[in-house]
Amino acid sequence: MAKVPAAAVAAGGLIGGYGVARWTKKRQLGGVVLAAAGATATQQWRRQAGGKAAGALTVAYVAAFAGSHPLAKKVGAWPSVFGVAGAVALASWAVADRRA
């Protein structure tokens, strides 16, 4: 079975979490998706790049989630989510995925 890159897991968590929250109108359900993907990505980051890198990427993941809210007021919800997901995916690839 092919391994899914941590960059895709993290970006998918941000996009999927928002999508689930929006379409079900249950923010908690979106939070479950966001948290599950974040935990999975963190484990991959730790295996691929070590604890410090995993910690930094996890902080970036949470900051992207938090930062998407004010950004959405300027550019719209979906563009904001796609933007922060892309930024986290790029950081993940640069720090962890390209080593694997």
Side-chain angles (χ1 to χ4, degrees):
M1 186 156 119
K3 186 180 131 210
V4 177
V9 173
L14 289 161
I15 295 166
Y18 175 69
V20 167
R22 181 169 179 152
W23 289 315
T24 65
K25 299 194 185 335
K26 296 189 187 309
R27 294 178 74 174
Q28 299 87 348
L29 206 51
V32 169
V33 172
L34 181 79
T40 301
T42 298
Q43 288 177 342
Q44 286 183 257
W45 292 327
R46 185 173 290 120
R47 275 195 310 271
Q48 293 171 348
K52 285 184 182 181
L57 287 167
T58 301
V59 167
Y61 183 79
V62 173
F65 167 70
S68 69
H69 293 82
L71 182 59
K73 292 179 181 179
K74 295 185 184 302
V75 299
W78 280 112
S80 172
V81 171
F82 286 130
V84 299
V88 169
L90 182 61
S92 175
W93 177 82
V95 173
D97 289 334
R98 69 181 172 152
R99 296 178 181 200

